Amino acid sequence: MGMKCVYIAALAWLASTASALAGELEQRAAICQEVAQFLRKDDFAGLDARYAQALAQNKRLASGVFTSNRIVRCLSDAAESRGGSLASGLDFDMRKHQENQWKAWQAKAVKWTQTYPASSLAAIALSEYYLQQGYVFRGYGPASRVDEKDMKVFTDLVAKAHEALNSRAKAGAKDSGWHYQMLRIARLQQWPPQRFSALLQQALEVDPMQYDIYFAASEMLLPQWGGSVETLENFADLAARRTRVTEGEALYARIYWDISGYFGAGLFEASKADWKHMRAGYEDMVKRYPDPWNMNGFAWFACLAGDRETLKRVLAAMGDRVEPEIWKTRQAYNECREWANETSKGERK
């Protein structure tokens, strides 16, 4: 066995050992660190091999999400964690500094695509780095607040992201991560419903279990992207039925969890999310994947839904394993916990 094979095997062993001992957030951090190490050393072959292994084995993290999904998401996380270290010089114009950062990562991804023409992950990376450069100009707020010139730059960079990804359409044909990225681009380019549906169908034929595919489709169905809360609800229900044999009702809950940021604390008032269905989904989720990340999510939504009995039960099962990222603020967690323990039967304020 060559030294490169030994190196890849050692990294995979370390990752699997960490997975056996750590929770969701620790596992995410370990994967992103692993991806960052591969990128820092320009070890594109090693990263491709790691990704291929994750796809082939369908391994999951403690919360149930797929390792391959996390590797794709870590492509940009790894770049962000290294700041502008790849960009030459120091520019005190923050926008220019950030733009130079993403251009440097694009150059790295171009080198990757040229060195390994059959790599779908290289195309995903280059596509992502174009998108991230675009968001330097667009930001993440409502489109109505974006300057016309900045929106033009963003639109052009989304087109570049599409071109980069589409250049590896053959390599990406069997890659769920490639399809996830293309679904994101389709939303940003506002593909017509028929064209988007055809892409979604292709993605689900590749792997009908990959959560990120459902998440990307759900985002496209939000009102702000031309969809409706009714269409979103129908899709979430359909997704649960398609995956019921292996997931129970969990995917219904996962979909609303993923897009809940668009609704904030008013999820159940502003959408058609059905708490009874979502609660059943969380019950199935924590039965299979009782990680604190999932338990905290269950408790948070029980609190939002005003289901004190369920909230009290889940908080008791959680114990002191609180995930602050779920609750956003200590105040939110304390208020839910205090309400769960009140003796009166009044509604949560």
Side-chain angles (χ1 to χ4, degrees):
M1 181 183 291
M3 287 303 297
K4 182 178 285 290
C5 293
V6 172
Y7 174 64
I8 294 171
L11 280 175
W13 178 81
L14 286 171
S16 64
T17 302
S19 297
L21 300 175
E24 175 71 15
L25 294 185
E26 292 83 2
Q27 291 175 348
R28 289 186 187 187
I31 291 172
C32 282
Q33 184 178 15
E34 187 182 6
V35 170
Q37 287 175 350
F38 281 123
L39 290 173
R40 184 169 59 249
K41 297 179 179 180
D42 284 0
D43 185 3
F44 307 128
L47 185 48
D48 279 330
R50 178 72 175 95
Y51 182 59
Q53 179 190 58
L55 284 172
Q57 296 180 352
N58 264 334
K59 284 194 173 182
R60 304 188 187 220
L61 304 189
S63 72
V65 302
F66 291 90
T67 302
S68 59
N69 295 161
R70 186 48 48 185
I71 290 174
V72 168
R73 296 197 183 204
C74 283
L75 290 171
S76 60
D77 290 348
E80 289 174 339
S81 70
R82 289 181 60 77
S85 58
L86 286 179
S88 59
L90 179 63
D91 193 326
F92 290 98
D93 178 341
M94 184 54 70
R95 173 184 282 192
K96 190 65 177 178
H97 175 66
Q98 291 176 338
E99 186 184 12
N100 287 340
Q101 170 193 342
W102 291 114
K103 284 182 177 179
W105 282 96
Q106 289 159 20
K108 181 180 279 284
V110 166
K111 180 181 177 181
W112 185 358
T113 61
Q114 292 173 342
T115 308
Y116 297 98
S119 171
S120 59
L121 190 61
I124 295 171
L126 181 56
S127 170
E128 181 62 22
Y129 299 153
Y130 280 131
L131 290 183
Q132 292 302 324
Q133 183 189 353
Y135 278 113
V136 171
F137 291 86
R138 188 204 181 283
Y140 292 92
S144 59
R145 298 180 184 175
V146 182
D147 180 82
E148 185 177 341
K149 290 182 180 179
D150 288 341
M151 185 59 81
K152 175 65 167 57
V153 174
F154 176 72
T155 302
D156 290 345
L157 285 165
V158 172
K160 280 191 170 185
H162 180 226
E163 182 182 352
L165 196 63
N166 205 42
S167 69
R168 297 294 168 87
K170 184 176 181 180
K174 299 298 182 183
D175 181 351
S176 58
W178 184 94
H179 283 87
Y180 162 69
Q181 186 74 355
M182 189 61 84
L183 286 165
R184 292 178 64 213
I185 290 172
R187 173 176 56 82
L188 295 173
Q189 292 187 323
Q190 284 292 277
W191 287 16
Q194 187 174 1
R195 185 183 179 192
F196 185 87
S197 295
L199 175 63
L200 175 59
Q201 185 58 41
Q202 291 172 9
L204 291 175
E205 287 174 1
V206 171
D207 192 337
M209 293 305 304
Q210 288 287 347
Y211 300 152
D212 274 2
I213 290 173
Y214 292 97
F215 296 162
S218 298
E219 200 166 2
M220 180 68 164
L221 298 176
L222 288 165
Q224 48 267 65
W225 292 102
S228 68
V229 292
E230 291 80 11
T231 306
L232 174 62
E233 167 63 14
N234 290 338
F235 178 74
D237 185 68
L238 174 63
R241 283 189 275 120
R242 285 182 64 113
T243 57
R244 188 166 286 155
V245 172
T246 56
E247 304 291 309
E249 302 301 316
L251 190 51
Y252 180 91
R254 288 188 187 275
I255 285 174
Y256 274 111
W257 189 1
D258 185 72
I259 53 88
S260 62
Y262 284 95
F263 298 99
L267 173 67
F268 295 104
E269 292 76 28
S271 76
K272 295 292 183 181
D274 180 76
W275 171 239
K276 288 184 179 179
H277 196 172
M278 201 168 174
R279 181 175 59 198
Y282 267 108
E283 295 285 8
D284 287 334
M285 191 191 308
V286 299
K287 185 192 309 180
R288 292 171 172 82
Y289 307 102
D291 186 77
W293 182 259
N294 291 341
M295 298 292 288
N296 278 257
F298 193 1
W300 168 240
F301 286 108
C303 187
L304 289 186
D307 184 348
R308 180 153 53 182
E309 181 181 339
T310 299
L311 172 61
K312 189 172 184 177
R313 172 169 57 85
V314 177
L315 285 175
M318 276 172 44
D320 60 357
R321 299 175 300 170
V322 178
E323 297 287 3
E325 191 174 332
I326 297 289
W327 299 91
K328 308 300 183 188
T329 66
R330 177 176 291 275
Q331 180 182 355
Y333 169 72
N334 287 339
E335 287 180 355
C336 288
R337 184 185 60 183
E338 289 168 6
W339 178 68
N341 292 325
E342 285 178 4
T343 56
S344 66
K345 297 185 177 180
E347 293 184 358
R348 177 175 174 262
K349 297 181 181 180

